[in-house]
Amino acid sequence: MGNKWLVPGVAAMLAATAFAQQSAPPSTAPLRVLVNPGDSSEQSRVALYTAWKSVLEQALRRHAPNGMQVVLSADATADLGATRAKIHDVYVAPAHVVGSAVRYGYAPVLGMDKPVQAVLVVPRDSSITNLAQAQGKRLGLPLQDSVVTYLVRGEVNAANTTIKRHFADVYDTRYQDALLPCLKLLRCDVVGVEKGVFDRWVAAGEPVRAIMESKPVPNLTVVIKDTLRPGAESLQAALAESAGLAQLLRGENAKATTHTIDDFKYVSTLGYFTPRALAGATVVDAKAVAQLLQSGATYVDTRNDVEFKAGHVPGAILVPYHEKSHKDADFDAKLDQFDVAKLGPDKNAPLVLACNGPECWKSFKASTAAVKAGYTRVHWFRGGFPEWRSSGMKFDAAAAQ
């Protein structure tokens, strides 16, 4: 990752002009942009969102004759699903969301040159000095799809254990700064936060120390759908000439940097991938699903309504799985909501349950529920809609994707 503007000087101006002059796509839909500023405080999140919104509206205004829908997100779980369904045209998001996006048809544009690391932090007087000694202790983390949680989970898995197995209890909170009181009030023995947050605590004189650091990953990054024109290079140039972006970066004490797909390989391996097998169900691929559907099987899509409308297998029925449980094979189904009755009264009818690829747990959990409810011919399509789409199969959508 180089710390440089992508196209300096006159070349950038010419490229930016070309970007502005290129014709708009034939779609009549507004351009969809999502900004997830990460796990900052609410005030910082809103400020970052407002700044990015202004920058992107300026850079993309000629490319959006039907307007733009720019939304602020605080839900990385939903964002990860949206990247796999290709809901939005442009994202500004943390590394794990971008890592998912580049696997499913988005191109990196540019990012901030301040890499993110996760650290495990304990009180200064704690007897814990490493991950092994934290076994059986109480862990505090941001919400389960935070980039910090992704990184901590990856390091724990690399130590041949799991968060659930290694720690006695896990305390979740939306904002990382809420984890400092968790340490001070002895609710947590160890917490996971970004290294920048830890450094700020230390600078403020807080009595804490780090016992583990993850590998660094990219900071907030802009990505664009690779089928959108004029494309990543022209958007890079337009952003490089943006005074608003320069001001935003100064405020973050950062510079713009180029990113490639390779920069996201590490973080993209740390996701919560589903198991490869499910007792009582048959795991199937897209080809097998097509044959099952021809034979009269019912395709049950467990995603949400927005993802379903963006694209779904022809003839599929939508039965959303509302997920609050952890993404783990021994998840607590009581925390979730799924209407098993909508699978139909015939327990011997063939069913295909799917969602948004191997990182999506909704269909795994729904298939588990179906098996427990007595359905005898449950087929779990682990690859889900992304595999169906990439296999060249026809799909229905509310608008062309």
Side-chain angles (χ1 to χ4, degrees), residues 4 52 94 102 104 117 119 132 141 166 199 228 264 339 344 382:
K4 60 183 183 296
W52 275 111
V102 298
Y104 290 101
Q117 287 179 271
V119 295
L141 286 173
H166 197 72
D199 290 341
L228 197 66
F264 299 93
D339 192 349
R382 183 172 182 262

Side-chain angles (χ1 to χ4, degrees), residues 137-301:
K137 303 299 183 181
R138 298 163 301 172
L139 174 67
L141 286 173
L143 296 180
Q144 66 169 325
D145 275 325
S146 159
V147 68
V148 169
T149 304
Y150 253 63
L151 295 172
V152 170
R153 182 186 177 101
E155 295 298 330
V156 171
N157 288 349
N160 198 27
T161 184
T162 66
I163 286 179
K164 188 170 184 178
R165 189 189 315 150
H166 197 72
F167 295 95
D169 183 49
V170 178
Y171 170 77
D172 296 319
T173 184
R174 172 170 289 186
Y175 301 119
Q176 294 180 45
D177 278 315
L179 293 170
L180 182 58
C182 194
L183 281 179
K184 289 183 172 182
L185 297 174
L186 305 181
R187 170 67 177 82
C188 301
D189 302 305
V190 56
V191 299
V193 297
E194 290 182 25
K195 189 174 186 300
V197 172
F198 167 70
D199 290 341
R200 177 159 48 77
W201 291 353
V202 171
E206 299 292 349
V208 293
R209 56 184 172 83
I211 62 167
M212 189 197 78
E213 292 185 359
S214 74
K215 295 180 181 179
V217 299
N219 208 309
L220 292 180
T221 303
V222 182
V223 292
I224 187 171
K225 192 180 291 184
D226 57 12
T227 56
L228 197 66
R229 294 295 177 264
E233 291 186 3
S234 295
L235 178 55
Q236 288 169 353
L239 288 172
E241 289 298 307
S242 168
L245 180 62
Q247 181 178 358
L248 184 159
L249 292 170
R250 282 196 299 272
E252 294 297 308
N253 194 26
K255 296 180 181 178
T257 185
T258 62
H259 288 309
T260 68
I261 292 176
D262 286 345
D263 294 324
F264 299 93
K265 281 186 176 179
Y266 166 65
V267 70
S268 67
T269 65
L270 304 180
Y272 300 83
F273 282 83
T274 50
R276 295 183 181 274
L278 174 57
T282 302
V283 181
V284 290
D285 60 13
K287 182 178 179 180
V289 170
Q291 294 172 346
L292 284 164
L293 296 181
Q294 288 179 354
S295 301
T298 299
Y299 188 106
V300 180
D301 195 320

Side-chain angles (χ1 to χ4, degrees), residues 84 104 274 283-287 289 299-303 311-313 352-360 363 380-391 393:
R84 297 189 285 267
Y104 290 101
T274 50
V283 181
V284 290
D285 60 13
K287 182 178 179 180
V289 170
Y299 188 106
V300 180
D301 195 320
T302 63
R303 301 176 300 164
H312 58 267
V313 172
V352 177
L353 292 101
C355 56
N356 252 339
E359 307 99 314
C360 179
S363 59
W380 176 36
F381 184 17
R382 183 172 182 262
F385 182 68
E387 181 182 327
W388 180 270
R389 182 180 56 206
S390 64
S391 298
M393 304 288 191

